[in-house]
Amino acid sequence: MNFSELFKLSGLLGRFSPDGRCLASCVQYRLVVRDVNTLQILQLYTCLDQIQYIEWSSDSLFILCAMYKRGIVQVWSLEQPDWHCKIDEGSAGLVASCWSPDGRHILNTTEFHLRITVWSLCTKSVSYIKYPKACQQGIAFTKDGRYMAVAERRDCKDFISIFVCSDWQLLRHFDSETQDLFGIEWAPNGCVLAVWDTCLEYKILLYSLDGRLLSTYRAYEWSLGIKSIAWSPSSQFLAIGSYDEKVRILNHVTWKKITEFEHPATITNTKTIVYKEVEKSPSVETERLSFPPTRALASSLFSTQSKYNIPNAVWIWDIQKLKLFVVLEQLCAIQSFQWDPRQPRLAVCTGNSKVYLWSPAGCVSVQVPMEGDFQIVSLSWHSSGDSMVLLSKDNFCVCYLEREEVK
Amino acid sequence: MGDWKTITVPVLPSDSKNTFQYTSEKKISPPSMNSQVLRLPLPSSKSMHSFFSAFCTEENIEQSISYLNRELTTLGFPSIYAESKGKELNLVSIINCMNELLVLQHKNLRAQEEVEMQHLKLGSDMDHLQNCYAKLKEQLELSKREIVGLQERDRQLQSKNRNLHQLLKNEKDEVQKLQNIISSRATQYNHDMKRKEREYNKLKERLHQLVMNKKDKKIAMEVLNYVGRADGKRGAWRTDKTEARNEEEMYKVLLSDYEQRQKQLLVENAELKKVLQQMKKDIISLLPPQKQKPKERSEDGPVLSDLEEDIGELNKENMWELSCETVREQLTNSIRKQWRMLKNHVEKLDNQVSRVHSGALNEKDVISREDHELETEKLELEIQQCKEMIKTQQQLLQDCYLLEERERLQEEWRLFREQKKNFEKERRSFTEAAIRLGLERKAFEEDRGAWLKQQFLSMSTDYKHSENVTTPSAFLGSSDQDNRLPKSTSQQRKPHCMLSGPVSAEPCQTSQYITHNSSSAASKKPTGDSKSNQWVESDKEETE
């Protein structure tokens, strides 16, 4: 493993481009685009204010920089450095901004979630989506970029609108049977939309692409409900993590629970491997789930981290065998973890200057050879799985991994 | 006579002292003769005789006799006087009386003894009973105390139980109350939330209106130039057609997804059915043959026929591709039935094995260990033999193949050698022909040179001749050549060209072709230039 030198960073904004050739990072109001392999600066753009959010367009030709305080979004082109575009929301304010899947439209959410404005970079047309829902995941695009689902709320009721991304036509508009919608997410096959309710109620609804309710799942009443969900890459399974420290897996044929996984403080099964760093200490946080990409031969694993009471452990479950595979116990609270996009390899960071890698072959922890403090708070894999960027509050570095033989 | 005490007549003289003392202790009775008589002085050791003499002395014989008589008569004895009055004593009656008194005395003694015995017995019984009574009383006391204790405990436990029940009820009530509170609070919160949300919505609307109305010139997008679409196409207006197309697209996506899923399910289904079929066959093969046991046949008769039916029906290749309800049910039912039979069979075997282990003899059913081992050995031998047979057969087959191969190869070698010979021959002839050709060419060139000189000298007069000559000069020459040497050249050229083609052509065929060509060439010569041109071309090819 090789590490690059440290570069300045602000706001944890370090992103690889989708085509994997460039790395964009922000330092205050400057946007720096570097080449991935040499880390030489390819372009340098200056924005009008401190950048709060950046996003690459899907074809890696444009980057948008959002400055929420000023309500401005600036778009830069990599092909033509002279090209510029500025979207000013003015008094409407700006709380969120994102690209559409075709990379030519920008969706801005104005302050107080008054509306979502769809600005087009190709034409002079502007579209508005009224009454968007103010929740964590209110906009969801299908993986192939054809459809967009938006959660709306009118008259104290939740609705879902499905738009066709090519011409922003409203395809379907239906009401959702949730009390207070918390999030929506498409299945990777683009045919099923998962909608889940606020954490006060455990309810997840599954809608088909054309708006029909396929199924509802409620595990229990009264106690705190769903924290987060994750689809398996083949769309066959849906994993739901909840506040009772359990993960429940539904299958896509009957939408019924096939199993549930517990996260006890002590593990009694002797077959699970526990990689322990040092003793653990409890605290309270959110839970995150993620599935690795499936490969033809590998058994699919997915990792969960129940930070609710055990924030220092990553639990890796084997889906083929439906049982706990590995538990990684770390010294400090885990800040973030992410699966390698190509192989079943997990990278974990815990806020110190070490990066931890786990693969079915074993577990390794690598100290980043930097002088001074480099506390890794977040990490992100390159799309080829050969490198990853490690972000701390003020700096970032890129870690290059040796290419292993793909089995 | 009330104060008289009983005087025990001493049996032994040694007791006289006691009796004496006893008698002396007698109370003084009212003054009467009797008492006088009986108040006696106390000698220390007096014999019976002296005692006896105490009552009657010389002086009071008459009185004593009358006293005695009186006593006897009151006791029912006849009088001791000879007559009712008089002083003569009836000796017989006296003796009788004495005897009677003695007998009475004995009886009394015996009775006394008995009474004493009984008294003792009763005394001991009484003691015993008293002991028992005391013990029982103790026990009773203990039991009573125990009972009291247990009752106390029971009371305590009951009160505890009641308390716990009460607590439970309280808890349940509290839980119910809390749940009610929660639900009421939830509804209250929802209500409040809705109210606040409505207010918020109103504010948002107002704000929205303000924002929209303000016509904020600032809300705009400045862009240097508009970018082309990602897919390169031009943007289109949204029309009904596009809407319909979008709907279609969406349904297509959904349908393809469903189709894919259905395909997967079908594949899975087919595989599972195959597995079931296989299992069925295996189960049937594992089950013991039913025909050997006639008594069981009646039970399994319908099952057997069912089996046969099932086997017949469901083993047909196309049957299991049907997926209608009845076929499926039949399949699963038959498998269940057979599985049950197999289970029973295995259980029977297990029982048999356990019986064998415990030493039971049931030789009909039990397969003894040795027999079993013999069987397995036999089977293993058979397997071994079969394997060897298979191996030898495989080898034989291989040898056959090898033989065949070798024969073929030999055949091909032969042909190859023949061809080689023929080619050698031809090559030799070709080389000869080539040499000849070379010589002829030289001669021809010389001829041509001479001829050209001739022509040049006589150019004006023979213009046409020269034309014919100059343009396809080679061509005429070659035709002349050909005319001169039809066979040899044709033989040379055609095979030469043919050799550049595939080598495996048979020699006989080529010779045929050559003769054919030469004949054709010969026949076509007179026709014209075109054919000759062909010759020229081939010739040219050769030379180049």
Side-chain angles (χ1 to χ4, degrees):
Chain A
M1 270 166 75
N2 295 326
F3 292 91
S4 73
E5 55 183 67
L6 282 181
F7 298 101
K8 280 213 165 298
L9 184 78
S10 70
L12 291 180
L13 296 169
R15 303 271 148 84
F16 282 113
S17 66
D19 62 0
R21 286 195 298 183
C22 311
L23 170 66
S25 60
C26 293
V27 186
Q28 301 297 333
Y29 55 91
R30 283 213 190 86
L31 175 69
V32 183
V33 180
R34 294 170 196 272
D35 176 74
V36 155
N37 297 317
T38 62
L39 287 183
Q40 273 189 338
I41 296 179
L42 295 174
Q43 306 279 5
L44 181 63
Y45 306 101
T46 311
C47 294
L48 296 169
D49 193 15
Q50 188 166 35
I51 304 172
Q52 258 106 31
Y53 178 69
I54 62 168
E55 191 178 324
W56 285 91
S57 68
S58 53
D59 51 6
S60 306
L61 292 178
F62 299 96
I63 306 180
L64 74 76
C65 305
M67 290 140 265
Y68 298 144
K69 280 187 231 161
R70 286 274 296 268
I72 296 179
V73 174
Q74 282 187 281
V75 189
W76 303 102
S77 158
L78 286 185
E79 288 180 308
Q80 301 175 354
D82 304 328
W83 189 89
H84 63 266
C85 171
K86 183 177 78 156
I87 302 172
D88 192 343
E89 290 286 347
S91 49
L94 186 68
V95 293
S97 178
C98 68
W99 282 104
S100 71
D102 64 356
R104 295 290 178 272
H105 294 83
I106 294 178
L107 288 91
N108 282 347
T109 311
T110 59
E111 215 161 357
F112 304 119
H113 288 82
L114 282 181
R115 60 167 191 256
I116 296 179
T117 319
V118 185
W119 298 94
S120 166
L121 292 178
C122 319
T123 68
K124 292 189 190 162
S125 64
V126 180
S127 311
Y128 296 103
I129 301 175
K130 281 182 84 175
Y131 310 112
K133 173 111 190 183
C135 60
Q136 219 180 46
Q137 266 175 264
I139 305 177
F141 294 101
T142 58
K143 200 159 146 196
D144 54 10
R146 268 205 248 183
Y147 302 102
M148 170 176 85
V150 179
E152 298 174 9
R153 190 160 175 103
R154 284 165 218 250
D155 299 328
C156 308
K157 276 205 292 200
D158 291 320
F159 294 89
I160 309 241
S161 298
I162 300 188
F163 292 91
V164 183
C165 291
S166 52
D167 55 5
W168 305 109
Q169 180 215 328
L170 176 64
L171 192 64
R172 283 286 187 277
H173 180 80
F174 51 92
D175 66 334
S176 145
E177 290 172 17
T178 49
Q179 284 267 36
D180 187 7
L181 201 155
F182 195 67
I184 56 177
E185 192 170 323
W186 286 102
N189 67 4
C191 296
V192 181
L193 181 68
V195 175
W196 65 98
D197 213 337
T198 172
C199 62
L200 289 177
E201 241 196 84
Y202 193 127
K203 195 197 252 186
I204 182 160
L205 301 156
L206 292 141
Y207 287 96
S208 159
L209 175 58
D210 56 347
R212 287 174 296 128
L213 176 61
L214 293 173
S215 173
T216 311
Y217 178 68
R218 299 190 75 167
Y220 49 77
E221 276 191 271
W222 295 124
S223 292
L224 290 183
I226 301 177
K227 261 191 213 169
S228 70
I229 72 162
W231 285 97
S232 80
S234 61
S235 308
Q236 282 180 323
F237 303 110
L238 176 61
I240 308 173
S242 49
Y243 279 89
D244 64 344
E245 293 187 20
K246 287 197 198 161
V247 175
R248 289 174 179 80
I249 309 223
L250 311 182
N251 77 16
H252 74 307
V253 179
T254 59
W255 299 116
K256 294 246 184 321
K257 176 182 84 167
I258 50 176
T259 181
E260 62 182 43
F261 294 136
E262 277 190 12
H263 296 74
T266 55
I267 303 164
T268 50
N269 187 354
T270 51
K271 285 207 185 137
T272 51
I273 308 166
V274 178
Y275 291 100
K276 197 171 167 138
E277 221 207 342
V278 195
E279 293 297 306
K280 52 184 174 163
S281 53
S283 91
V284 184
E285 269 294 339
T286 54
E287 187 180 285
R288 265 181 286 134
L289 307 170
S290 55
F291 271 101
T294 45
R295 287 172 69 236
L297 303 168
S299 66
S300 44
L301 313 162
F302 84 105
S303 61
T304 68
Q305 178 200 353
S306 79
K307 267 178 161 175
Y308 195 52
N309 274 324
I310 314 168
N312 296 17
V314 178
W315 305 65
I316 302 180
W317 303 86
D318 186 333
I319 292 301
Q320 272 192 356
K321 296 184 201 153
L322 284 184
K323 58 174 191 176
L324 183 58
F325 194 41
V326 167
V327 174
L328 307 172
E329 260 190 69
Q330 304 297 131
L331 181 68
C332 323
I334 293 169
Q335 301 290 330
S336 107
F337 61 85
Q338 203 181 47
W339 284 103
D340 181 332
R342 291 288 165 91
Q343 22 171 329
R345 192 157 57 158
L346 187 69
V348 181
C349 67
T350 63
N352 52 15
S353 56
K354 289 199 205 158
V355 65
Y356 306 91
L357 280 176
W358 173 85
S359 76
C363 193
V364 68
S365 89
V366 184
Q367 169 85 28
V368 177
M370 298 296 166
E371 303 138 9
D373 246 355
F374 180 52
Q375 280 157 348
I376 308 173
V377 171
S378 166
L379 53 80
S380 153
W381 282 94
H382 186 261
S383 49
S384 68
D386 285 339
S387 53
M388 59 178 159
V389 65
L390 310 167
L391 310 169
S392 81
K393 205 164 72 97
D394 300 314
N395 305 86
F396 77 93
C397 90
V398 181
C399 160
Y400 297 93
L401 296 141
E402 276 154 20
R403 195 112 225 277
E404 285 174 24
E405 271 298 307
V406 174
K407 284 170 221 156
Chain B
M1 288 198 273
D3 297 332
W4 295 100
K5 287 197 181 164
T6 47
I7 303 168
T8 49
V9 177
V11 179
L12 294 162
S14 57
D15 283 355
S16 62
K17 196 166 117 185
N18 292 338
T19 51
F20 202 67
Q21 283 182 343
Y22 197 67
T23 50
S24 65
E25 282 170 21
K26 212 150 83 67
K27 275 197 187 155
I28 297 166
S29 61
S32 67
M33 192 180 58
N34 299 337
S35 61
Q36 275 179 330
V37 169
L38 288 174
R39 206 183 318 145
L40 300 164
L42 299 166
S44 54
S45 55
K46 283 231 170 140
S47 62
M48 194 90 75
H49 182 69
S50 59
F51 169 69
F52 283 125
S53 64
F55 168 65
C56 178
T57 55
E58 305 287 331
E59 292 95 43
N60 54 356
I61 290 178
E62 292 285 333
Q63 286 152 353
S64 350
I65 291 172
S66 63
Y67 167 71
L68 279 177
N69 184 47
R70 249 202 328 267
E71 294 289 319
L72 287 170
T73 47
T74 49
L75 284 176
F77 288 107
S79 160
I80 54 174
Y81 287 126
E83 289 148 32
S84 52
K85 352 184 202 181
K87 294 206 180 136
E88 278 187 23
L89 297 171
N90 189 356
L91 196 65
V92 173
S93 72
I94 290 170
I95 288 168
N96 282 337
C97 291
M98 270 176 59
N99 188 37
E100 288 294 329
L101 284 170
L102 278 172
V103 166
L104 204 63
Q105 174 76 349
H106 281 313
K107 252 203 295 185
N108 288 337
L109 275 176
R110 270 201 298 271
Q112 200 177 17
E113 268 179 36
E114 274 180 34
V115 166
E116 273 176 14
M117 214 53 146
Q118 254 200 4
H119 186 255
L120 278 172
K121 256 198 257 171
L122 287 173
S124 69
D125 277 346
M126 183 113 120
D127 283 336
H128 177 67
L129 284 173
Q130 269 184 353
N131 285 342
C132 286
Y133 173 71
K135 265 191 241 158
L136 285 172
K137 221 169 153 174
E138 259 180 60
Q139 268 185 11
L140 185 66
E141 277 304 304
L142 264 169
S143 315
K144 276 206 185 128
R145 258 181 268 141
E146 254 186 62
I147 284 173
V148 166
L150 287 172
Q151 273 181 346
E152 189 57 43
R153 230 179 65 188
D154 181 44
R155 228 176 300 135
Q156 279 177 359
L157 287 174
Q158 281 227 1
S159 69
K160 230 202 229 173
N161 196 16
R162 253 179 283 126
N163 287 348
L164 286 174
H165 270 295
Q166 194 62 37
L167 277 173
L168 181 65
K169 212 162 75 92
N170 291 347
E171 290 297 319
K172 277 197 186 156
D173 287 338
E174 223 180 284
V175 163
Q176 192 60 38
K177 226 179 18 168
L178 284 172
Q179 274 192 344
N180 291 340
I181 289 175
I182 288 174
S183 55
S184 66
R185 281 187 110 156
T187 47
Q188 185 63 33
Y189 283 143
N190 284 341
H191 208 63
D192 280 342
M193 277 283 283
K194 289 222 168 79
R195 200 159 38 91
K196 289 221 166 72
E197 207 180 321
R198 277 193 212 104
E199 222 179 285
Y200 178 58
N201 282 343
K202 272 193 247 169
L203 275 171
K204 274 202 337 192
E205 285 286 345
R206 190 90 184 85
L207 187 60
H208 198 239
Q209 276 173 18
L210 284 171
V211 166
M212 293 300 266
N213 288 346
K214 218 175 165 187
K215 282 201 193 322
D216 202 342
K217 292 194 191 84
K218 283 202 326 179
I219 300 181
M221 180 169 90
E222 311 172 2
V223 64
L224 188 61
N225 54 280
Y226 285 104
V227 183
R229 280 165 63 96
D231 49 5
K233 290 190 246 171
R234 287 159 61 87
W237 290 107
R238 246 192 274 163
T239 58
D240 286 335
K241 230 169 63 172
T242 58
E243 282 186 24
R245 208 169 357 109
N246 283 333
E247 287 269 324
E248 237 186 79
E249 280 292 322
M250 176 187 82
Y251 284 123
K252 266 193 213 162
V253 164
L254 278 176
L255 274 175
S256 64
D257 181 58
Y258 280 127
E259 270 175 18
Q260 200 193 28
R261 264 201 262 167
Q262 200 199 15
K263 264 191 228 149
Q264 280 177 358
L265 287 171
L266 277 175
V267 164
E268 226 186 282
N269 216 11
E271 274 182 30
L272 288 172
K273 271 196 192 153
K274 257 194 266 177
V275 167
L276 277 177
Q277 287 285 339
Q278 189 56 44
M279 264 177 62
K280 235 172 72 99
K281 284 194 202 131
D282 287 343
I283 289 174
I284 292 171
S285 64
L286 279 176
L287 286 173
Q290 303 279 336
K291 293 165 194 164
Q292 287 174 6
K293 302 189 175 176
K295 61 167 176 171
E296 290 179 11
R297 200 179 192 179
S298 52
E299 296 166 9
D300 299 331
V303 179
L304 186 60
S305 55
D306 253 337
L307 263 179
E308 285 175 354
E309 247 184 67
D310 288 346
I311 295 167
E313 276 186 30
L314 294 171
N315 279 353
K316 284 187 202 157
E317 286 285 312
N318 50 2
M319 254 339 233
W320 55 267
E321 281 175 25
L322 290 176
S323 55
C324 63
E325 196 77 26
T326 45
V327 174
R328 250 188 301 147
E329 272 182 33
Q330 275 180 21
L331 178 61
T332 49
N333 284 341
S334 70
I335 285 186
R336 276 204 203 108
K337 259 189 273 178
Q338 282 163 43
W339 181 250
R340 246 182 281 137
M341 279 162 53
L342 181 68
K343 249 191 358 182
N344 291 339
H345 182 62
V346 168
E347 274 166 18
K348 252 197 288 177
L349 284 175
D350 270 343
N351 290 341
Q352 287 171 5
V353 166
S354 62
R355 262 188 281 153
V356 163
H357 277 306
S358 60
L361 337 140
N362 198 350
E363 287 163 12
K364 284 191 293 172
D365 300 330
V366 168
I367 305 169
S368 66
R369 205 188 194 98
E370 295 103 30
D371 285 349
H372 185 69
E373 279 175 4
L374 278 173
E375 281 271 355
T376 47
E377 275 177 23
K378 255 196 289 172
L379 288 169
E380 274 172 16
L381 267 173
E382 265 190 58
I383 289 170
Q384 213 39 40
Q385 286 171 357
C386 290
K387 275 194 197 162
E388 280 168 22
M389 250 195 351
I390 289 171
K391 254 191 257 180
T392 47
Q393 283 191 358
Q394 271 184 351
Q395 278 191 357
L396 284 173
L397 276 171
Q398 269 186 6
D399 289 341
C400 279
Y401 287 142
L402 283 172
L403 276 172
E404 263 187 47
E405 283 272 338
R406 212 190 298 169
E407 276 179 31
R408 237 185 327 117
L409 275 173
Q410 282 180 352
E411 184 69 40
E412 280 183 12
W413 263 105
R414 205 171 40 79
L415 286 169
F416 179 63
R417 268 189 238 116
E418 267 187 47
Q419 275 185 28
K420 210 168 146 184
K421 266 189 263 169
N422 289 338
F423 290 153
E424 284 290 311
K425 256 195 281 173
E426 278 170 23
R427 207 196 309 161
R428 261 183 266 127
S429 55
F430 291 159
T431 46
E432 284 171 22
I435 296 167
R436 251 184 285 135
L437 186 62
L439 290 171
E440 280 167 18
R441 198 166 286 221
K442 244 178 36 182
F444 168 67
E445 288 292 319
E446 285 169 12
D447 271 351
R448 196 166 74 131
W451 196 69
L452 276 171
K453 269 192 233 159
Q454 246 188 14
Q455 288 294 322
F456 187 64
L457 289 171
S458 56
M459 210 161 64
S460 54
T461 48
D462 292 332
Y463 180 72
K464 281 184 187 172
H465 283 281
S466 63
E467 249 196 48
N468 282 337
V469 165
T470 45
T471 38
S473 54
F475 132 72
L476 264 179
S478 65
S479 65
D480 278 346
Q481 288 282 16
D482 288 349
N483 285 337
R484 263 185 257 153
L485 310 155
K487 273 191 185 166
S488 56
T489 48
S490 62
Q491 270 188 343
Q492 288 158 34
R493 278 162 214 176
K494 266 300 159 188
H496 201 58
C497 291
M498 292 234 6
L499 268 176
S500 59
V503 189
S504 56
E506 308 246 346
C508 39
Q509 274 185 8
T510 51
S511 49
Q512 276 179 9
Y513 191 71
I514 290 165
T515 49
H516 171 72
N517 255 348
S518 55
S519 58
S520 63
S523 59
K524 279 171 188 170
K525 253 188 301 176
T527 46
D529 305 341
S530 53
K531 284 293 165 195
S532 324
N533 265 331
Q534 279 183 4
W535 282 109
V536 169
E537 291 306 308
S538 58
D539 196 9
K540 279 213 166 109
E541 272 174 37
E542 250 188 284
T543 49
E544 283 160 13

